[in-house]
Amino acid sequence: YTGKAYGDRGTMPRLTIVRALLLTAGLASAGMATFHFFLPTVFQWSQFMSTVPDSIVWGMYAINAFFSLLLLLGSVGTIRVALSPTRDRVVVWGMALFWGFNVVYQLIWPFPARAVWWATVAFAVWMVASYALALWLLNEVPIRSGREPVSALR
């Protein structure tokens, strides 16, 4: 195993590219998760909820909070995978599917504000591409058993 990203022409080890992709995607997803915790305040949800039943208001805030936490946990899992190739790749697959579902959903039911829609779709496509490329590159990178040195993967 040479660890080269592009055969003999490449100079950057595949694992380095995977780590960079996953760290970037994990940190960006964590940023989006953190933003989502504050989304109801940023978009002033409360001013539009005066005629909505209390249970629906509670549900909207709860779903946003739960989503925010799950996205943050997926981001932390992604960062852990990036920092240690012994981690299970199911987190990376899960995040790739999450962002892929996000893209499809937004294409079917676009966000009402066009400028925001373009930004959120572009962000989601970037995340899908980052996770998918990392998964594709990970196919060539063996998972460490924890006994061999990291240098053996390069």
Side-chain angles (χ1 to χ4, degrees):
Y1 174 72
T2 65
K4 301 291 185 189
Y6 303 102
D8 293 332
R9 296 176 302 164
T11 58
M12 186 177 291
R14 204 177 276 265
L15 188 57
T16 301
I17 296 169
V18 168
R19 285 183 173 154
L21 286 166
L22 292 179
L23 279 174
T24 302
L27 290 171
S29 294
M32 182 61 77
T34 302
F35 173 71
H36 259 273
F37 278 112
F38 300 99
L39 193 71
T41 303
V42 171
F43 287 105
Q44 302 172 353
W45 285 9
S46 60
Q47 76 179 8
F48 304 105
M49 302 283 190
S50 60
T51 60
V52 178
D54 289 343
S55 58
I56 302 297
V57 172
W58 179 89
M60 289 182 64
Y61 283 101
I63 288 169
N64 183 69
F66 302 152
F67 163 79
S68 301
L69 180 60
L70 283 173
L71 182 56
L72 187 60
L73 292 173
S75 303
V76 169
T78 297
I79 293 166
R80 288 190 66 182
V81 169
L83 298 177
S84 175
T86 61
R87 304 281 179 228
D88 192 347
R89 295 173 187 167
V90 72
V91 172
V92 181
W93 274 104
M95 291 298 286
L97 290 171
F98 167 83
W99 286 113
F101 181 79
N102 185 299
V103 170
V104 171
Y105 185 92
Q106 289 191 71
L107 292 175
I108 295 170
W109 295 287
F111 190 82
R114 201 73 170 154
V116 173
W117 179 75
W118 281 109
T120 58
V121 168
F123 183 84
V125 167
W126 172 45
M127 291 295 95
V128 170
S130 295
Y131 281 106
L133 183 57
L135 284 166
W136 180 70
L137 291 171
L138 275 171
N139 274 337
E140 300 290 324
V141 176
I143 297 176
R144 287 180 50 215
S145 67
R147 288 177 281 208
E148 64 275 341
V150 174
S151 60
L153 295 175
R154 292 192 174 102

